[in-house]
């Protein structure tokens, strides 16, 4: 069955670091890690991760995302979803690793985990202090450390370096990650070497969100249908993971 967008009223938008938080007037039965296709008439449709049951995190980097981030209370946006497989909370102590706007589904996960009495530690990374997002929501759920490329906030360097140090200091039942795909491959490799379970939320271009168009293909897996959350060890078996993807034209391009 083909889903059609349902127009939903906007409750408001607010800026949080490098993202805009888009709040809707209705709630959806979403789980952390799931996504929805957001549609604006005349602008197009793209996938976005749920930040909560009625919120999305939007990184305003192009025409469509800037249009979403500019919506005002009372405006409408088309919504299809929730889609995909979300995170599965395992154990009593978890570690979240987010790069850029990849922190969005992890902030949702942190809230759900805290409500279940699970210890949450988060590492958030961004290019600069100005682009770090959702630090307050993460801090309300547990300890948070930050990494920036230029050292303007927290540790200078990459979240993967901080991950290696964190795994030396404490034992975690599971690591959860979302962000740039090269980063995610490193996270999966580090966790595999340490024999720590790892769940990764993938971000790839999607056109349908239903597993029909094949745009989000990952060596036989469809990110929209089979994911976007996968076990790290499963992804490491895929040659293109962290190395190549399909461009909008369908041509394979290096990441």
């Amino acid at each position: 069955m083909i889903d059609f967008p349902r127009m939903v009223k906007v409750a408001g938008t607010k800026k949080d670091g490098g993202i805009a938080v888009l709040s809707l007037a209705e709630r959806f039965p979403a789980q952390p890690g799931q996504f929805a296709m957001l549609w604006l008439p005349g602008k197009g449709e793209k996938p976005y991760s749920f930040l909560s049951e009625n919120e999305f995190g939007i990184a305003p980097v192009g025409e469509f995302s800037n249009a979403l981030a500019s919506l005002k209370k009372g405006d409408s946006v088309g919504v299809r979803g929730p889609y995909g497989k979300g995170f599965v909370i395992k154990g009593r102590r978890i570690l979240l690793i987010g790069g850029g706007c990849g922190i969005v589904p992890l902030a949702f996960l942190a809230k759900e985990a805290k409500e279940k009495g699970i210890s949450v530690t988060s590492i958030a990374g961004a290019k600069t202090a100005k682009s770090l997002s959702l630090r307050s929501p993460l801090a309300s759920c547990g300890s948070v450390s930050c990494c920036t490329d230029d050292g303007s906030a927290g540790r200078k360097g990459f979240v993967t370096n901080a991950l290696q140090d964190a795994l030396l200091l404490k034992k975690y039942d599971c690591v959860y990650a979302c962000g740039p795909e090269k980063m995610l491959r490193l996270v999966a490799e580090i966790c595999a070497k340490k024999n720590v379970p790892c769940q990764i939320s993938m971000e790839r271009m999607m056109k349908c969100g239903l597993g029909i168009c094949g745009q989000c293909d990952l060596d036989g897996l469809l990110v929209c249908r089979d994911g976007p959350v996968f076990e790290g060890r499963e992804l490491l078996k895929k040659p293109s993971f962290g190395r190549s993807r399909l461009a909008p034209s369908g041509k394979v391009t290096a990441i």
Side-chain angles (χ1 to χ4, degrees):
M1 183 179 72
I2 297 177
D3 291 338
F4 293 96
R6 183 165 63 86
M7 301 308 293
V8 178
K9 291 292 185 182
V10 173
T13 57
K14 63 181 179 181
K15 187 172 176 57
D16 189 317
I19 69 168
V21 177
L22 174 65
S23 301
L24 303 183
E26 297 182 28
R27 293 183 176 274
F28 293 81
Q31 298 175 346
Q34 288 189 302
F35 68 96
M37 301 295 291
L38 301 185
W39 174 67
L40 291 175
K43 297 287 186 182
E45 184 183 54
K46 290 188 178 182
Y48 287 92
S49 294
F50 281 93
L51 174 57
S52 72
E53 292 177 337
N54 71 319
E55 293 177 312
F56 296 90
I58 312 295
V61 295
E63 180 183 359
F64 183 80
S65 54
N66 272 287
L68 280 177
S70 300
L71 292 174
K72 302 291 191 297
K73 182 177 181 180
D75 290 341
S76 295
V77 60
V79 182
R80 288 196 293 122
Y83 292 138
K85 297 177 181 177
F87 293 111
V88 177
I89 298 177
K90 296 181 179 180
R92 305 303 302 170
R93 177 183 288 169
I94 63 176
L95 177 61
L96 315 184
I97 310 292
C101 60
I103 203 67
V104 171
L106 298 176
F108 191 3
L109 174 64
K111 179 176 179 291
E112 293 280 307
K114 181 191 176 185
E115 290 175 354
K116 294 182 178 181
I118 293 169
S119 173
V120 180
T121 299
S122 302
I123 302 174
K127 291 183 178 180
T128 66
K130 188 176 180 180
S131 57
L132 276 168
S133 307
L134 304 175
R135 281 187 283 181
S136 292
L138 288 171
S140 69
C141 299
S143 64
V144 182
S145 59
C146 300
C147 300
T148 50
D149 292 357
D150 64 358
S152 54
R155 173 176 178 166
K156 183 177 182 179
F158 303 124
V159 293
T160 46
N161 300 126
L163 167 63
Q164 289 178 310
D165 291 345
L167 293 179
L168 288 174
L169 293 173
K170 285 184 181 180
K171 178 177 174 59
Y172 293 94
D173 296 310
C174 192
V175 171
Y176 299 83
C178 185
E181 199 167 318
K182 282 187 176 182
M183 179 204 96
L184 295 178
R185 184 173 185 92
L186 285 173
V187 169
E189 290 173 344
I190 291 167
C191 289
K193 288 178 182 178
K194 296 289 186 179
N195 200 30
V196 179
C198 174
Q199 293 180 35
I200 287 177
S201 178
M202 290 286 292
E203 296 179 352
R204 286 210 165 185
M205 181 170 290
M206 299 177 191
K207 292 182 179 178
C208 69
L210 300 170
I212 297 173
C213 72
Q215 182 69 51
C216 61
D217 177 72
L218 174 63
D219 300 315
L221 294 175
L222 293 175
V223 173
C224 68
R225 184 193 65 195
D226 302 316
V229 177
F230 299 92
E231 294 288 340
R233 289 185 181 275
E234 179 184 14
L235 291 176
L236 288 175
K237 297 176 184 177
K238 303 299 180 180
S240 70
F241 173 47
R243 294 172 178 147
S244 64
R245 66 173 68 193
L246 294 179
S249 64
K251 181 181 178 181
V252 176
T253 58
I255 293 176

